[in-house]
Amino acid sequence: MKLQARPFFDAAGIPNDLAPIAVEPSPMLPGDWRSLRPVVDRGKCVKCAVCWLYCPVQCVIEKARWFDFDLATCKGCGICAAECPQRAIAMVEEAA
Ligand code: SF4
Ligand code: SF4
């Protein structure tokens, strides 16, 4: 059987080997689908920055006396809550 080479670009000039999501990026942000969000107990936070270090999407924000989160990009994974040595972060359910 003879193999036929596929053209690298389709008729619209889009590469044939891309997944659909790469051709049409979703406009959704993590805040649109997250089921849990982190809430900081400001009285417990000692600004050690462990949550900042571990957050995989770099959405931890430094405030004057505590660390907070950018909820537009937080994906609710809970890593910050698991790693906080002060147990100052609680993961709470998003409102339905
Ligand atoms: S890990 Fe906990 S104590 Fe440390 S900065 Fe973050 S919330 Fe505060
Ligand atoms: S829940 Fe996950 S994404 Fe959100 S701030 Fe914590 S570590 Fe970052």
Side-chain angles (χ1 to χ4, degrees):
M1 188 173 116
K2 192 175 176 186
L3 293 176
Q4 282 204 316
R6 287 176 60 208
F8 189 69
F9 295 98
D10 68 10
I14 297 171
N16 279 326
D17 58 352
L18 293 181
I21 195 167
V23 177
E24 273 185 51
S26 168
M28 293 182 79
L29 289 170
D32 297 331
W33 49 258
R34 183 184 55 230
S35 60
L36 297 172
R37 65 185 157 90
V39 175
V40 180
D41 182 335
R42 297 174 183 180
K44 286 186 182 173
C45 178
V46 295
K47 289 193 74 177
C48 66
V50 168
C51 53
W52 174 84
L53 191 65
Y54 277 90
C55 176
V57 292
Q58 298 175 339
C59 65
V60 180
I61 303 165
E62 184 178 10
K63 300 282 189 179
R65 291 174 174 268
W66 67 90
F67 274 42
D68 216 333
F69 309 100
D70 177 358
L71 293 178
T73 52
C74 167
K75 60 192 178 70
C77 66
I79 292 174
C80 55
E83 297 295 340
C84 173
Q86 300 296 317
R87 295 288 173 258
I89 304 171
M91 299 301 294
V92 302
E93 281 191 30
E94 293 283 7

